[in-house]
Amino acid sequence: MNWVRILRGTPLAAVLLFGLIASWPGTGVAGPREQAKRMHDRLVGVPPSEAVLGSMQSSIENDADPVAAAYTAMENPIFYISSLKNFATPWTNVPQTVFADLNDYTATVIGIIRDDVPFDQVLYADIVYTGASGSYSQTDNLHYQQLEQNRADLSDPSVLVRRLQSTLPGSQLPAAATAGVLTTRAAGEAFFSAGTNRRMWRFTAMNFLCRDMEQLNDITRPADRIRQDIGRSPGGDSRIFHNTCVGCHSGMDPLSGAYAYFEWDATAGRVTYTPGNVTDKHLINANTYPGGYVTIDDSWVNLWRAGPNSSLDWRGPAASGNGMKSLGVEVSASRAFSECQVEKVFRRVCLRAPESVADRAAVQSIADDFEAGNRSMKLVFAETAAFCMGN
């Protein structure tokens, strides 16, 4: 990572550079041993052994390689069992609580990071991680609850195993319909249950673009893909629709068409996929505005490639497509996706939001390295920990 590029021209450059490299006794600045311990504590959540601490200290002090020290810390199984579990769990549920059970969504994030699978695949690959026992179920979460209760070593590839979603017992999904964590059972239970399936888009944007609908609001997009269930004159005033409702729905509704064949079956306790048959929830309340858009297939279009949200730097191969997989490619190819992953790790490891000029420059530099480094989330954790180890 180019630390000179991060620090050059920032008003806090001298202070930050001093904080990163100073190790002289009596200066009041944390030395390599203290920095190593702080790094391990923040990454793993438990104190390092003396051997690990000594190795990390040597990487920082003798090799001037704090990133290597971070990789050493991440060899601890607790990084996967606890730190990454707590990191990803809020993405899997509507309340965004960290206290939810381990599930297939969380386990898949952990496995992808552990195995250095390019992290953009989290939104489009035919991938899922399960235990080795083969007791995965499409209709309950007991398999993952048992893994957690047994304190299974998720750092061990023979314990947490990569599989194809499309080949799991009872799967209704062909490989072309899988979309990483978005087509897991946990995601379906949280985001396809009830409602109109718009919730899946909202939480995808929150979790992987770091933007809720308020930040994506844009009233300049055309309204021709807004569904029939949205009134055009709420309370008898069309200005409310044009100045408020359009801001979210003109962009969200065209994207949520990708989910048209997905539903959560609460009775069976599983996700269902009905290719060629649009779910009822995409067609409800048609009399609210009969002239609105009628969902006829799982096509989607990204109208936010133009207007204010073009700043998310959409770089996917196409601005439209069919199904969740191609939409996952569109989201994960954006610059906003890269920056979002770094920002989430920054908050986790640095215990603060990136706010200063130097913080923001670091986010940009680490996002550059993420994209150049095969989208490795391990690299993001390591470089972020190196940046924050002195403060």
Side-chain angles (χ1 to χ4, degrees), residues 108-285:
T108 301
V109 172
I110 293 170
I112 287 175
I113 295 175
R114 183 198 68 194
D115 294 346
D116 251 347
V117 176
F119 198 69
D120 57 336
Q121 294 189 26
V122 77
L123 294 185
Y124 64 81
D126 184 3
I127 189 172
V128 68
Y129 280 78
T130 75
S133 67
S135 59
Y136 175 87
S137 172
Q138 298 282 353
T139 59
D140 63 56
N141 193 48
L142 292 177
H143 175 64
Y144 293 96
Q145 291 173 321
Q146 290 168 356
L147 285 175
E148 187 168 22
Q149 290 165 3
N150 294 334
R151 298 290 290 173
D153 183 0
L154 305 182
S155 71
D156 185 343
S158 69
V159 174
L160 185 66
V161 181
R162 178 177 176 173
R163 304 187 191 280
L164 300 176
Q165 280 190 41
S166 59
T167 63
L168 289 176
S171 176
Q172 298 176 353
L173 298 176
T178 57
V181 297
L182 302 183
T183 47
T184 58
R185 181 183 181 277
E189 183 175 21
F191 310 129
F192 283 144
S193 58
T196 59
N197 278 3
R198 293 180 175 102
R199 187 190 308 160
M200 178 62 82
W201 167 255
R202 182 195 173 205
F203 280 87
T204 298
M206 291 171 64
N207 292 328
F208 296 102
L209 297 175
C210 292
R211 287 164 174 81
D212 202 348
M213 296 311 300
E214 289 82 1
Q215 288 77 49
L216 294 170
N217 189 291
D218 173 14
I219 63 173
T220 68
R221 299 302 90 207
D224 57 314
R225 292 272 301 218
I226 298 180
R227 293 188 220 162
Q228 295 173 309
D229 61 332
I230 303 300
R232 269 47 172 187
S233 297
D237 188 347
S238 64
R239 292 173 299 178
I240 297 175
F241 172 76
H242 289 291
N243 295 324
T244 304
C245 304
V246 165
C248 293
H249 285 281
S250 62
M252 174 171 57
D253 281 22
L255 292 169
S256 63
Y259 317 130
Y261 302 153
F262 285 86
E263 177 64 286
W264 173 254
D265 184 337
T267 301
R270 63 164 298 155
V271 177
T272 60
Y273 175 66
T274 54
N277 295 307
V278 176
T279 63
D280 291 342
K281 63 173 56 176
H282 282 261
L283 304 170
I284 63 173
N285 299 324

Side-chain angles (χ1 to χ4, degrees), residues 268-348:
R270 63 164 298 155
V271 177
T272 60
Y273 175 66
T274 54
N277 295 307
V278 176
T279 63
D280 291 342
K281 63 173 56 176
H282 282 261
L283 304 170
I284 63 173
N285 299 324
N287 290 329
T288 300
Y289 186 73
Y293 182 76
V294 179
T295 303
I296 59 173
D297 56 23
D298 66 347
S299 63
W300 61 268
V301 60
N302 184 4
L303 298 180
W304 282 330
R305 280 200 174 199
N309 289 318
S310 64
S311 63
L312 275 65
D313 194 6
W314 306 95
R315 298 176 298 193
S320 61
N322 286 84
M324 292 179 67
K325 184 182 288 290
S326 60
L327 180 56
V329 171
E330 170 76 347
V331 173
S332 63
S334 69
R335 175 65 178 188
F337 174 86
S338 301
E339 293 176 2
C340 179
Q341 310 324 304
V342 179
E343 290 173 3
K344 291 185 297 187
V345 172
F346 195 104
R347 288 183 173 88
R348 176 77 188 175

Side-chain angles (χ1 to χ4, degrees), residues 21-58:
I21 67 174
S23 59
W24 299 278
T27 62
V29 177
R33 188 171 182 82
E34 291 77 14
Q35 291 173 337
K37 186 177 185 305
R38 179 180 295 139
M39 178 186 288
H40 193 282
D41 289 349
R42 290 185 178 183
L43 281 170
V44 183
V46 297
S49 68
E50 280 299 316
V52 168
L53 183 59
S55 176
M56 292 176 65
Q57 178 182 350
S58 179

